[in-house]
């Protein structure tokens, strides 16, 4: 039996979950709702919530948001792409809701965050 760092045998969904997280990063604008995620892992939505809570300590939707905010932060820091375009590329139709979500997760509005990286 293979043992992970946690000392527990790897769960059967570990690799598919890692693949799913990579897919979310590559396609952040997809509507990654619970039923889509559950189908991808071939589990019920209830099992999906248990898996995400065990692996990441948060519900699936929160993990998707976290992935998107991380990508937004990266783009804001490294590009001059308009904030509205960044939001749209990550699946947000409303710049207002994206800006509020970004602030909730980073403590800053996207514009202020970008200014930190300007020279």
């Amino acid at each position: 039996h293979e043992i992970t760092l946690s000392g527990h045998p790897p769960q059967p969904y570990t690799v598919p979950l890692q693949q799913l997280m990579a897919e979310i990063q590559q396609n952040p604008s997809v509507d990654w709702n619970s039923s889509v995620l559950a189908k991808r892992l071939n589990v019920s939505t209830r099992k999906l919530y248990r898996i995400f809570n065990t692996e990441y300590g948060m519900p699936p939707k929160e993990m998707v948001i976290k992935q998107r905010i991380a990508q937004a932060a990266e783009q804001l820091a490294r590009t001059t792409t308009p904030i509205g375009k960044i939001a749209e590329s990550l699946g947000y139709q409303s710049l207002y809701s994206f800006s509020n979500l970004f602030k909730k997760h980073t403590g800053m509005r996207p514009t202020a965050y970008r200014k930190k990286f300007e020279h």
Side-chain angles (χ1 to χ4, degrees):
H1 284 329
E2 181 186 341
I3 301 293
T4 62
L5 291 176
S6 67
H8 301 291
Q11 297 299 313
Y13 49 75
T14 300
V15 171
L17 187 59
Q18 290 168 345
Q19 292 168 341
L20 179 61
M21 294 312 294
E23 195 177 338
I24 291 168
Q25 287 179 323
Q26 292 165 3
N27 304 294
S29 65
V30 169
D31 179 15
W32 293 108
N33 63 54
S34 296
S35 60
V36 169
L37 295 169
K39 262 189 202 138
R40 283 292 208 301
L41 290 179
N42 202 23
V43 296
S44 68
T45 53
R46 193 173 164 163
K47 176 79 173 171
L48 176 78
Y49 277 85
R50 281 201 303 268
I51 292 168
F52 269 76
N53 279 321
T54 300
E55 294 294 315
Y56 302 115
M58 65 185 73
K61 181 179 179 166
E62 195 61 30
M63 191 63 189
V64 170
I65 290 170
K66 204 171 176 171
Q67 295 284 334
R68 288 175 173 168
I69 296 300
Q71 286 190 24
E74 178 87 10
Q75 289 182 51
L76 288 165
R78 297 178 180 223
T79 73
T80 57
T81 305
I83 295 167
K85 287 262 183 241
I86 292 172
E88 195 177 301
S89 75
L90 297 172
Y92 296 100
Q93 279 77 46
S94 162
L95 178 57
Y96 177 77
S97 65
F98 165 73
S99 182
N100 286 339
L101 204 56
F102 191 87
K103 183 171 194 242
K104 178 182 170 194
H105 285 265
T106 65
M108 304 176 88
R109 295 265 175 220
T111 311
Y113 187 89
R114 175 172 269 165
K115 279 194 168 116
K116 283 186 5 179
F117 297 92
E118 290 175 354
H119 301 3

